[in-house]
Amino acid sequence: IDELEPEYAVPLRRFDVEGASQAAIAAELGLSLPALKSRILRGRAQVRARFDGCCTMVRDSRGGLLEIRRKPDGRDCAC
């Protein structure tokens, strides 16, 4: 998350890490609720893309993350 642009990192951190409500975050940042939701989704997609580049994510049948494995190509990765 720290590597994302602040416009995506702040909402993502506040919602997914800190557990703040979307309505509260939108008000804090002066965004509409749909705009905030878009930033959270885009931030998640950017984080996922960074992990997909160097890691394989093992998920359960409902999409929950079970394990992260580094790909054998040895790319330097923070996972």
Side-chain angles (χ1 to χ4, degrees), residues 52-67:
D52 284 345
C54 64
C55 300
T56 299
M57 290 183 244
V58 180
R59 298 185 177 274
D60 64 20
S61 61
R62 296 185 342 188
L65 186 61
L66 296 174
E67 182 180 356

PDB file of all heavy atoms in Angstrom, residues 52-67:
ATOM      1  N   ASP A  52       0.782 -10.138  -8.249  1.00  0.00           N
ATOM      2  CA  ASP A  52       0.685 -11.083  -9.367  1.00  0.00           C
ATOM      3  C   ASP A  52       1.968 -11.117 -10.187  1.00  0.00           C
ATOM      4  O   ASP A  52       2.291 -12.130 -10.797  1.00  0.00           O
ATOM      5  CB  ASP A  52      -0.491 -10.736 -10.283  1.00  0.00           C
ATOM      6  CG  ASP A  52      -1.829 -11.129  -9.691  1.00  0.00           C
ATOM      7  OD1 ASP A  52      -1.856 -11.914  -8.719  1.00  0.00           O
ATOM      8  OD2 ASP A  52      -2.857 -10.643 -10.211  1.00  0.00           O
ATOM      9  N   GLY A  53       2.703 -10.025 -10.206  1.00  0.00           N
ATOM     10  CA  GLY A  53       3.945  -9.977 -10.969  1.00  0.00           C
ATOM     11  C   GLY A  53       5.040 -10.858 -10.407  1.00  0.00           C
ATOM     12  O   GLY A  53       5.915 -11.304 -11.133  1.00  0.00           O
ATOM     13  N   CYS A  54       4.999 -11.122  -9.108  1.00  0.00           N
ATOM     14  CA  CYS A  54       6.094 -11.879  -8.505  1.00  0.00           C
ATOM     15  C   CYS A  54       5.626 -13.044  -7.633  1.00  0.00           C
ATOM     16  O   CYS A  54       6.443 -13.838  -7.192  1.00  0.00           O
ATOM     17  CB  CYS A  54       6.993 -10.960  -7.692  1.00  0.00           C
ATOM     18  SG  CYS A  54       6.186 -10.188  -6.282  1.00  0.00           S
ATOM     19  N   CYS A  55       4.332 -13.146  -7.393  1.00  0.00           N
ATOM     20  CA  CYS A  55       3.829 -14.168  -6.474  1.00  0.00           C
ATOM     21  C   CYS A  55       2.619 -14.887  -7.048  1.00  0.00           C
ATOM     22  O   CYS A  55       1.930 -14.369  -7.919  1.00  0.00           O
ATOM     23  CB  CYS A  55       3.406 -13.529  -5.152  1.00  0.00           C
ATOM     24  SG  CYS A  55       4.742 -12.685  -4.304  1.00  0.00           S
ATOM     25  N   THR A  56       2.389 -16.079  -6.529  1.00  0.00           N
ATOM     26  CA  THR A  56       1.177 -16.824  -6.825  1.00  0.00           C
ATOM     27  C   THR A  56       0.333 -16.806  -5.564  1.00  0.00           C
ATOM     28  O   THR A  56       0.829 -17.109  -4.477  1.00  0.00           O
ATOM     29  CB  THR A  56       1.510 -18.285  -7.196  1.00  0.00           C
ATOM     30  OG1 THR A  56       2.334 -18.270  -8.352  1.00  0.00           O
ATOM     31  CG2 THR A  56       0.260 -19.084  -7.461  1.00  0.00           C
ATOM     32  N   MET A  57      -0.925 -16.425  -5.703  1.00  0.00           N
ATOM     33  CA  MET A  57      -1.820 -16.394  -4.556  1.00  0.00           C
ATOM     34  C   MET A  57      -2.746 -17.602  -4.599  1.00  0.00           C
ATOM     35  O   MET A  57      -3.403 -17.831  -5.613  1.00  0.00           O
ATOM     36  CB  MET A  57      -2.613 -15.099  -4.550  1.00  0.00           C
ATOM     37  CG  MET A  57      -1.751 -13.897  -4.239  1.00  0.00           C
ATOM     38  SD  MET A  57      -2.698 -12.403  -4.152  1.00  0.00           S
ATOM     39  CE  MET A  57      -1.997 -11.536  -5.527  1.00  0.00           C
ATOM     40  N   VAL A  58      -2.761 -18.356  -3.528  1.00  0.00           N
ATOM     41  CA  VAL A  58      -3.627 -19.517  -3.403  1.00  0.00           C
ATOM     42  C   VAL A  58      -4.878 -19.060  -2.658  1.00  0.00           C
ATOM     43  O   VAL A  58      -4.780 -18.498  -1.566  1.00  0.00           O
ATOM     44  CB  VAL A  58      -2.920 -20.659  -2.634  1.00  0.00           C
ATOM     45  CG1 VAL A  58      -3.834 -21.853  -2.504  1.00  0.00           C
ATOM     46  CG2 VAL A  58      -1.609 -21.026  -3.319  1.00  0.00           C
ATOM     47  N   ARG A  59      -6.044 -19.297  -3.278  1.00  0.00           N
ATOM     48  CA  ARG A  59      -7.312 -18.844  -2.696  1.00  0.00           C
ATOM     49  C   ARG A  59      -8.252 -20.011  -2.439  1.00  0.00           C
ATOM     50  O   ARG A  59      -8.168 -21.032  -3.107  1.00  0.00           O
ATOM     51  CB  ARG A  59      -7.981 -17.841  -3.632  1.00  0.00           C
ATOM     52  CG  ARG A  59      -7.129 -16.601  -3.843  1.00  0.00           C
ATOM     53  CD  ARG A  59      -7.854 -15.564  -4.679  1.00  0.00           C
ATOM     54  NE  ARG A  59      -7.065 -14.366  -4.820  1.00  0.00           N
ATOM     55  CZ  ARG A  59      -7.062 -13.364  -3.939  1.00  0.00           C
ATOM     56  NH1 ARG A  59      -7.810 -13.418  -2.872  1.00  0.00           N
ATOM     57  NH2 ARG A  59      -6.308 -12.304  -4.142  1.00  0.00           N
ATOM     58  N   ASP A  60      -9.154 -19.811  -1.491  1.00  0.00           N
ATOM     59  CA  ASP A  60     -10.168 -20.829  -1.229  1.00  0.00           C
ATOM     60  C   ASP A  60     -11.313 -20.678  -2.222  1.00  0.00           C
ATOM     61  O   ASP A  60     -11.285 -19.799  -3.088  1.00  0.00           O
ATOM     62  CB  ASP A  60     -10.653 -20.775   0.222  1.00  0.00           C
ATOM     63  CG  ASP A  60     -11.359 -19.477   0.592  1.00  0.00           C
ATOM     64  OD1 ASP A  60     -11.821 -18.745  -0.307  1.00  0.00           O
ATOM     65  OD2 ASP A  60     -11.447 -19.193   1.802  1.00  0.00           O
ATOM     66  N   SER A  61     -12.336 -21.505  -2.098  1.00  0.00           N
ATOM     67  CA  SER A  61     -13.435 -21.510  -3.064  1.00  0.00           C
ATOM     68  C   SER A  61     -14.238 -20.210  -3.055  1.00  0.00           C
ATOM     69  O   SER A  61     -14.922 -19.902  -4.021  1.00  0.00           O
ATOM     70  CB  SER A  61     -14.363 -22.694  -2.796  1.00  0.00           C
ATOM     71  OG  SER A  61     -14.916 -22.592  -1.497  1.00  0.00           O
ATOM     72  N   ARG A  62     -14.142 -19.443  -1.985  1.00  0.00           N
ATOM     73  CA  ARG A  62     -14.862 -18.166  -1.909  1.00  0.00           C
ATOM     74  C   ARG A  62     -13.966 -16.974  -2.224  1.00  0.00           C
ATOM     75  O   ARG A  62     -14.368 -15.836  -2.087  1.00  0.00           O
ATOM     76  CB  ARG A  62     -15.489 -17.995  -0.533  1.00  0.00           C
ATOM     77  CG  ARG A  62     -16.539 -19.050  -0.278  1.00  0.00           C
ATOM     78  CD  ARG A  62     -17.300 -18.917   1.001  1.00  0.00           C
ATOM     79  NE  ARG A  62     -16.706 -18.066   2.012  1.00  0.00           N
ATOM     80  CZ  ARG A  62     -17.163 -17.971   3.231  1.00  0.00           C
ATOM     81  NH1 ARG A  62     -18.191 -18.672   3.616  1.00  0.00           N
ATOM     82  NH2 ARG A  62     -16.578 -17.179   4.105  1.00  0.00           N
ATOM     83  N   GLY A  63     -12.732 -17.234  -2.636  1.00  0.00           N
ATOM     84  CA  GLY A  63     -11.826 -16.168  -3.021  1.00  0.00           C
ATOM     85  C   GLY A  63     -10.951 -15.641  -1.896  1.00  0.00           C
ATOM     86  O   GLY A  63     -10.165 -14.733  -2.100  1.00  0.00           O
ATOM     87  N   GLY A  64     -11.088 -16.222  -0.705  1.00  0.00           N
ATOM     88  CA  GLY A  64     -10.262 -15.797   0.418  1.00  0.00           C
ATOM     89  C   GLY A  64      -8.819 -16.233   0.233  1.00  0.00           C
ATOM     90  O   GLY A  64      -8.546 -17.327  -0.265  1.00  0.00           O
ATOM     91  N   LEU A  65      -7.906 -15.398   0.650  1.00  0.00           N
ATOM     92  CA  LEU A  65      -6.482 -15.680   0.489  1.00  0.00           C
ATOM     93  C   LEU A  65      -6.023 -16.703   1.519  1.00  0.00           C
ATOM     94  O   LEU A  65      -6.222 -16.537   2.716  1.00  0.00           O
ATOM     95  CB  LEU A  65      -5.685 -14.390   0.642  1.00  0.00           C
ATOM     96  CG  LEU A  65      -4.203 -14.455   0.358  1.00  0.00           C
ATOM     97  CD1 LEU A  65      -3.943 -14.877  -1.087  1.00  0.00           C
ATOM     98  CD2 LEU A  65      -3.561 -13.111   0.634  1.00  0.00           C
ATOM     99  N   LEU A  66      -5.432 -17.777   1.037  1.00  0.00           N
ATOM    100  CA  LEU A  66      -4.910 -18.831   1.904  1.00  0.00           C
ATOM    101  C   LEU A  66      -3.402 -18.748   2.057  1.00  0.00           C
ATOM    102  O   LEU A  66      -2.858 -18.965   3.130  1.00  0.00           O
ATOM    103  CB  LEU A  66      -5.272 -20.216   1.345  1.00  0.00           C
ATOM    104  CG  LEU A  66      -6.750 -20.567   1.277  1.00  0.00           C
ATOM    105  CD1 LEU A  66      -6.936 -21.899   0.573  1.00  0.00           C
ATOM    106  CD2 LEU A  66      -7.356 -20.604   2.665  1.00  0.00           C
ATOM    107  N   GLU A  67      -2.724 -18.437   0.956  1.00  0.00           N
ATOM    108  CA  GLU A  67      -1.262 -18.474   0.969  1.00  0.00           C
ATOM    109  C   GLU A  67      -0.711 -17.643  -0.180  1.00  0.00           C
ATOM    110  O   GLU A  67      -1.335 -17.521  -1.233  1.00  0.00           O
ATOM    111  CB  GLU A  67      -0.806 -19.929   0.806  1.00  0.00           C
ATOM    112  CG  GLU A  67       0.663 -20.163   0.850  1.00  0.00           C
ATOM    113  CD  GLU A  67       1.024 -21.635   0.680  1.00  0.00           C
ATOM    114  OE1 GLU A  67       0.128 -22.502   0.591  1.00  0.00           O
ATOM    115  OE2 GLU A  67       2.236 -21.907   0.623  1.00  0.00           O
TER     116      GLU A  67
END
